[in-house]
Amino acid sequence: MSLIGFGYDIHRFIAGRPLILGGVEIPHTLGLDGHSDADVLSHAIADALLGAIGERDIGHHFPNTDANIRGINSLEIIRKAVEIVAQHRGRIINVDSTLVMEAPKIAPHLQAMREKLSAALNLAPARLGIKATTNEGLGPIGRGEGIAAMAVASVEIS
Ligand code: MG
């Protein structure tokens, strides 16, 4: 049986934090605010995985009230979601994702992100889509106030 899941996340830009996307630190004047490393892309992907198997979201599995996970590397969150998928006898078929952001350009970092994420997902790099688009200057994302990410995942249950 083949299942799909969807994930969405958004984080606000803030000064004084590194910008981490897909497990990669990207040079920028601002980082994202959050309890973890605020890796919005990894969060959307983890939620897509959990959604595919009908599990609760990452806010449930990684509550932002838990001091032990403050500043956690979000690739760990993905690895945990992958583990939960495996517990459901699931195998990830593919993951596709889109970042919605005005700046910085992420094309130079796509390859590094693909390597980090596919390793955390234990997925062939060709089965992972990472895309980026701007919000055409519209709304909070368009004003450069933050970054949003969306992801879908396909999981085969044996
Ligand atoms: Mg998040």
Side-chain angles (χ1 to χ4, degrees):
M1 178 177 46
S2 174
L3 304 168
I4 61 165
F6 172 76
Y8 169 82
D9 197 20
I10 186 167
H11 282 256
R12 178 188 299 275
F13 274 126
I14 191 174
R17 274 177 65 107
L19 175 60
I20 312 286
L21 293 173
V24 175
E25 184 169 341
I26 294 174
H28 194 48
T29 49
L30 300 167
L32 294 175
D33 195 13
H35 183 70
S36 66
D37 64 3
D39 183 343
V40 65
L41 178 59
S42 293
H43 294 178
I45 289 173
D47 259 348
L49 294 174
L50 294 170
I53 54 171
E55 265 284 347
R56 293 186 66 183
D57 58 36
I58 62 169
H60 172 77
H61 294 282
F62 297 90
N64 63 11
T65 48
D66 185 349
N68 293 325
I69 59 171
R70 180 170 296 281
I72 188 179
N73 179 334
S74 293
L75 293 176
E76 285 302 323
I77 294 178
I78 288 189
R79 282 190 273 267
K80 174 73 177 175
V82 169
E83 207 178 289
I84 295 171
V85 167
Q87 285 163 7
H88 285 249
R89 292 184 299 125
R91 185 174 62 91
I92 302 166
I93 304 299
N94 76 309
V95 170
D96 187 22
S97 63
T98 298
L99 281 161
V100 189
M101 55 193 289
E102 302 295 319
K105 293 281 177 223
I106 63 143
H109 310 286
L110 272 177
Q111 188 54 35
M113 290 161 64
R114 179 183 302 281
E115 283 167 19
K116 292 270 190 190
L117 287 170
S118 58
L121 289 160
N122 196 19
L123 188 66
R127 297 285 174 264
L128 171 63
I130 310 170
K131 312 183 300 300
T133 185
T134 72
N135 220 31
E136 291 289 332
L138 295 168
I141 298 289
R143 290 190 295 270
E145 293 173 17
I147 298 178
M150 286 167 265
V152 289
S154 174
V155 172
E156 178 75 22
I157 303 285
S158 57

